[in-house]
Amino acid sequence: MSRRLPLLLSAALGAAVLGAAPTAQAEPTPAPPAAAAAAGNQPYASYWYPNTILDWDPATDPDARFNRSRVPLQPRTSDPALKANPNARAGEGRVASLAAFGPTSNNPSQGSADPNYYAFGYWQYLDKLVFWGGSAAEGLILAPNPTVIDAAHRNGVKVYGTVFFPPAVYGGQLQWVRDFVQKSGTRYPVADKLTQAAQYYGFDGWFINQETGGGDAALAGEVRNLMQYTKAQSGTEYMWYDAMTESGSVSWQNALTSANDAFLQDGAKRTSDSMFLNFNWSAGGLDSSRTLARGLGRGEYDLYSGIDTESNGYNTSVDWNTLFPAGKPHTTSLGIYRPEWTWKSATDRADFYAKDSRYWVGANGDPSNTTTSSSWKGLSTYVAESSPITAKPFVTNFSTGQGDFYNAAGGRVATGGWNNLSLQDVPPTYRWLVSSGGSKLTPSIDFTDAYEGGSSLRLSGRLDAVNTVRLYQTKLPVAADSKLSLVLKTPAAGATGLKAAISFTDAPGTFTTLDLGANAGTGWERHTLDLSGYAGRTIAQIGLQADGSNPSYEVRIGQLAVQDGPVDAPAAPSGLTVLGASDVVAGSSQSLRLSWTPSAAGSVHHYELYRRNADGTRGYLGATPSDAYFVSRLERSGTESGTTVEVEAVSTEYGRSAAATTTVSWTGTPPVGGNLALNRPATASGQCNGNETPAKAVNGTVNGGNGDKWCTTTSAKWLEVDLGSAQPLSRFVVKHASAGGESAAYNTRDFTIQVRNSTSDAWTTVATVTGNTAGTTTHPVSTTARYVRLSVTKPTQGADPAARVYEFEAWGA
């Protein structure tokens, strides 16, 4: 990133992350025709130019309903006595993150079938999230998609959209800035639309990044007037980026100065709620910024001193002592540019979680111990944790908002990867805090099993002393009918060796333990504890305590809940309606836009959608807190004329309602044969980088360059595809490295192909290949299967460890 043109990589995002390359565009891209979008097509997050947002109306935008967040911003608590790190400070410098979760254009509204996603989980250190993006070629005004808003608000974090005016060298046009501040009488119409979008979609404000040169003082004054107008009209917030000055020129101050202070506070008028200071700040500059902010009647923590971690992540050099001096109040708040480096640079999900942990809590994976030779200690060194757990019920399934399958009440209802941050639970406040007089157990998020969703909490390791694991900071009042319950799974029947550990606000550091007893078998079992004896007190912390002697201790926690009385089920939703349907494969599969009337009674956490099968079982289609959902693929079963689709409400206590139903009709004859793996859900042992995903091996192309493949270097190398239902198969085709234009030396040498009809079945090998050198291989079979797997035992002709598969095809009989 240029240090003179600090946020210009938003333009590079046009090519690398946000879609199209940034080029000048005099005429904005028109919106898709309403008739086409109103079919069963994929809805996308909204983006506009200043003039095109004037035409936006949620009543006529067919995607708008799918972009609404239904999760209100939660209040938070932060008890200084419970901070993990003794050096961290509570109530001082705040943290804002400028992160890109997807492209500006073609960013799915409600998640997707790709598990490879920036599933951020350290909300306890954030106060604001800027949904970063925008480019000259696509759109300058980017609204956050609802999944990110839902997750952030559930954790008490505000969310801002982005307004980006690029420099001329990156396609910027000064006319766009003039369009932005156009007036109609005393109104600023674009500002009214920004407020309407924020209120309708349910987010909190906008980050304004004005880097187009050539302006003058009058134009700069109009930009300020627009923001002040908004502040007078609504509660919509603004964060201003230190670029345009009061003279109209673009000149990064790296501080709050007399050249830009009116963009924060203009006399008695509040222009913006905060300011992101450019990256080249200094000790003297931040000291003077603090003094000036106070002189304006504002606080220094309204200033977010920027650091740029897009290229180097936690290897970035930062003058932490100037920003957060040891033993002294923080100088300003912190603004982080592109923390999703942890995901973009990761080789697989495990690598992402390791890097994200190091980024936020340091090299030791322990927020209380950030001692390291690295200058990057982790954000937990400086900022005390906040928690949104201030009211009952509190339920967590330790869902991260992504997974390789989906479970409901412990049963597998879907296979295949997915991401949907709307379904992310509040992550543990402390990642991880374990105290022990002997060996420490290892807590981890486990993606191999779940009670609800796609993950659970796993405790494992050598147990030779009492281990206390602090999980959540809370502020939960205990009533006479309050209960604490945990759903556990152990490798064998018998004592779990586990106790619930809770502390109260009158003695927050002292734990009271409650024994969870034994499991009768090896499945998920619920243990419910009566808290009535603590009525009138307030829970300050919730954790776990393991005790006993076991060299290979292991327990999974699928759900932790604190609630009053029995589990409540909400009223059923009603009016389930197909808004539109489009063929994926004519006569065989459709994509759907569905809507329903929300439950009239009860507190709903989310709605789950299912298809009803002929044998009475159900197949999971997706979930959302909203009242509309896009189903990317509904499969026809045989020659059925209609498929029953259901939606049920899941309460905040995880009670389930009766279902509302509708029928999706089928016409035509299902096609015979064809590549049944095409665009089906695919999972794998890993991937070489963020772009070489399992989905690339079933996308139907080999000519998209070296990135148009699945690649992995994991020790066990496998790719699995869910065909949706058991299908007769006649052959498999595998397209290896040279089919995609790479060297034949990288063609897969040894591999097997396996099949099965259900996840409980053993795999059956239908093809074994050794010594292959060809770029494309065909493997005739006569079998029936729903799940197909390619297992690679020798990935290349030589010693290169990476498996490279451009296409894995399963052809119907």
Side-chain angles (χ1 to χ4, degrees):
M1 171 172 287
S2 165
R3 312 314 290 180
R4 288 291 299 151
L5 303 178
L7 291 186
L8 292 193
L9 277 196
S10 52
L13 286 171
V17 176
L18 300 180
T23 56
Q25 181 172 316
E27 295 298 327
T29 303
N41 300 338
Q42 169 73 60
Y44 295 109
S46 297
Y47 58 96
W48 308 274
Y49 294 86
N51 278 337
T52 62
I53 197 174
L54 296 177
D55 298 324
W56 175 73
D57 183 345
T60 57
D61 177 359
D63 286 2
R65 188 171 184 175
F66 298 86
N67 286 317
R68 299 191 80 174
S69 169
R70 299 294 187 172
V71 179
L73 181 68
Q74 298 300 303
R76 302 208 292 185
T77 185
S78 182
D79 184 345
L82 295 177
K83 63 185 181 182
N85 196 294
N87 299 308
R89 304 182 77 91
E92 294 186 9
R94 300 183 287 268
V95 180
S97 166
L98 279 61
F101 287 80
T104 295
S105 58
N106 299 319
N107 178 20
S109 298
Q110 298 172 307
S112 72
D114 186 357
N116 180 38
Y117 192 74
Y118 180 49
F120 176 68
Y122 288 90
W123 301 102
Q124 63 269 40
Y125 302 110
L126 278 192
D127 290 271
K128 301 177 193 293
L129 173 78
V130 176
F131 191 81
W132 184 250
S135 73
E138 298 164 290
L140 310 179
I141 302 170
L142 178 63
N145 63 3
T147 57
V148 174
I149 305 171
D150 288 343
H153 278 186
R154 194 171 283 129
N155 286 277
V157 175
K158 292 182 177 180
V159 181
Y160 291 176
T162 299
V163 180
F164 171 49
F165 297 105
V169 68
Y170 286 97
Q173 301 176 32
L174 193 61
Q175 184 59 45
W176 282 334
V177 186
R178 296 192 178 104
D179 292 342
F180 183 67
V181 300
Q182 62 187 282
K183 296 187 72 173
S184 176
T186 59
R187 293 175 48 247
Y188 287 88
V190 175
D192 290 340
K193 285 295 182 180
L194 294 180
T195 295
Q196 183 185 15
Q199 292 178 345
Y200 181 84
Y201 287 146
F203 60 97
D204 306 282
W206 295 92
F207 182 91
I208 309 294
N209 177 21
Q210 201 307 84
E211 295 187 82
T212 306
D216 55 21
L219 183 60
E222 282 300 288
V223 174
R224 295 198 303 278
N225 290 342
L226 177 147
M227 291 194 285
Q228 293 165 9
Y229 164 86
T230 303
K231 301 306 296 178
Q233 301 295 319
S234 73
T236 303
E237 297 185 3
Y238 285 116
M239 176 179 277
W240 177 257
Y241 172 55
D242 160 31
M244 188 185 210
T245 63
E246 293 159 34
S247 70
S249 66
V250 174
S251 176
W252 298 273
Q253 301 297 295
N254 305 294
L256 183 69
T257 72
S258 60
N260 65 10
D261 60 354
F263 286 102
L264 180 69
Q265 187 75 26
D266 192 3
K269 296 180 179 179
R270 186 182 182 92
T271 307
S272 64
D273 298 272
S274 54
M275 182 182 289
F276 188 102
L277 304 181
N278 186 39
F279 309 118
N280 291 342
W281 41 265
S282 64
L286 293 194
D287 282 343
S288 65
S289 297
R290 174 173 52 193
T291 300
L292 180 53
R294 291 175 175 176
L296 295 170
R298 301 290 291 274
E300 59 266 40
Y301 302 131
D302 290 344
L303 305 176
Y304 289 76
S305 300
I307 63 172
D308 169 16
T309 66
E310 180 182 35
S311 297
N312 295 311
Y314 46 66
N315 298 310
T316 303
S317 177
V318 178
D319 184 0
W320 294 109
N321 194 55
T322 287
L323 187 60
F324 298 142
K328 298 179 181 179
H330 294 159
T331 309
T332 67
S333 292
L334 169 67
I336 304 175
Y337 182 66
R338 310 302 301 283
E340 81 276 13
W341 169 89
T342 57
W343 170 64
K344 293 294 292 181
S345 66
T347 57
D348 55 24
R349 184 167 55 210
D351 189 36
F352 159 53
Y353 275 79
K355 286 183 172 178
D356 224 31
S357 173
R358 183 174 175 187
Y359 190 104
W360 292 96
V361 302
N364 302 316
D366 178 346
S368 70
N369 176 17
T370 52
T371 302
T372 173
S373 58
S374 170
S375 62
W376 189 284
K377 311 298 182 187
L379 275 296
S380 63
T381 305
Y382 314 104
V383 179
E385 300 81 3
S386 294
S387 170
I389 307 169
T390 61
K392 294 170 293 182
F394 166 60
V395 180
T396 176
N397 304 291
F398 303 97
S399 172
T400 66
Q402 62 180 175
D404 302 322
F405 56 83
Y406 195 90
N407 281 7
R412 185 66 47 90
V413 293
T415 59
W418 58 276
N419 73 79
N420 185 347
L421 286 185
S422 291
L423 305 182
Q424 185 188 71
D425 291 315
V426 174
T429 312
Y430 308 107
R431 297 272 295 274
W432 302 97
L433 283 183
V434 182
S435 61
S436 173
S439 303
K440 286 187 178 182
L441 294 176
T442 300
S444 62
I445 299 297
D446 177 46
F447 290 95
T448 67
D449 204 353
Y451 183 67
E452 298 275 357
S455 53
S456 57
L457 174 65
R458 179 173 180 255
L459 291 181
S460 61
R462 181 179 182 84
L463 180 61
D464 53 20
V466 175
N467 273 249
T468 302
V469 183
R470 291 170 60 187
L471 291 175
Y472 289 98
Q473 184 181 149
T474 69
K475 197 171 183 179
L476 298 175
V478 181
D481 59 349
S482 293
K483 297 177 176 64
L484 170 65
S485 69
L486 289 99
V487 178
L488 307 178
K489 178 179 278 193
T490 52
T496 63
L498 200 63
K499 300 175 182 178
I502 56 176
S503 72
F504 300 95
T505 52
D506 51 8
T510 302
F511 281 105
T512 297
T513 59
L514 303 167
D515 200 330
L516 292 165
N519 267 14
T522 58
W524 290 111
E525 298 183 26
R526 183 178 297 277
H527 302 256
T528 301
L529 304 169
D530 182 3
L531 299 180
S532 60
Y534 308 100
R537 301 175 76 182
T538 299
I539 300 173
Q541 289 191 88
I542 302 175
L544 299 168
Q545 190 175 95
D547 192 5
S549 178
N550 189 334
S552 301
Y553 182 79
E554 181 178 345
V555 63
R556 285 178 174 84
I557 301 92
Q559 187 180 89
L560 185 158
V562 181
Q563 66 192 61
D564 293 341
V567 172
D568 293 325
S574 60
L576 178 60
T577 302
V578 178
L579 299 177
S582 296
D583 283 339
V584 177
V585 178
S588 178
S589 58
Q590 298 181 60
S591 59
L592 306 172
R593 290 183 175 216
L594 301 170
S595 71
W596 54 90
T597 301
S599 302
S603 181
V604 175
H605 183 270
H606 66 271
Y607 297 89
E608 292 182 349
L609 294 102
Y610 293 88
R611 63 162 295 148
R612 180 66 67 175
N613 299 317
D615 63 0
T617 61
R618 299 195 304 174
Y620 173 81
L621 299 175
T624 177
S626 192
D627 60 0
Y629 188 74
F630 171 72
V631 175
S632 61
R633 189 160 179 157
L634 176 70
E635 297 287 349
R636 186 179 189 177
S637 178
T639 58
E640 65 181 354
S641 60
T643 301
T644 298
V645 174
E646 304 177 345
V647 60
E648 67 181 21
V650 180
S651 77
T652 51
E653 296 179 345
Y654 273 76
R656 286 180 157 82
S657 75
T661 66
T662 191
T663 299
V664 177
S665 298
W666 298 97
T667 58
T669 302
V672 176
N675 175 16
L676 302 178
L678 182 64
N679 293 321
R680 293 299 307 164
T683 54
S685 56
Q687 57 199 54
C688 293
N689 59 49
N691 294 322
E692 295 171 338
T693 63
K696 294 290 184 69
V698 291
N699 67 357
T701 68
V702 297
N703 56 7
N706 287 353
D708 192 11
K709 67 176 182 290
W710 166 65
C711 172
T712 188
T713 57
T714 53
S715 54
K717 300 174 176 66
W718 55 264
L719 172 72
E720 182 179 331
V721 183
D722 179 0
L723 304 182
S725 61
Q727 303 278 353
L729 302 174
S730 63
R731 71 186 188 275
F732 289 92
V733 177
V734 185
K735 296 181 180 179
H736 308 275
S738 65
E742 293 191 69
S743 169
Y746 296 149
N747 287 338
T748 318
R749 186 171 179 84
D750 301 339
F751 58 94
T752 61
I753 297 172
Q754 299 171 304
V755 299
R756 64 182 179 181
N757 284 325
S758 77
T759 55
S760 60
D761 293 342
W763 289 103
T764 298
T765 299
V766 294
T768 300
V769 177
T770 58
N772 171 63
T773 60
T776 299
T777 57
T778 301
H779 313 278
V781 297
S782 178
T783 189
T784 297
R786 173 175 175 176
Y787 303 100
V788 297
R789 172 183 277 219
L790 175 70
S791 295
V792 176
T793 49
K794 185 169 177 52
T796 60
Q797 305 300 304
D800 189 286
R804 299 167 176 85
V805 175
Y806 278 77
E807 282 297 300
F808 180 42
E809 301 172 353
W811 288 79

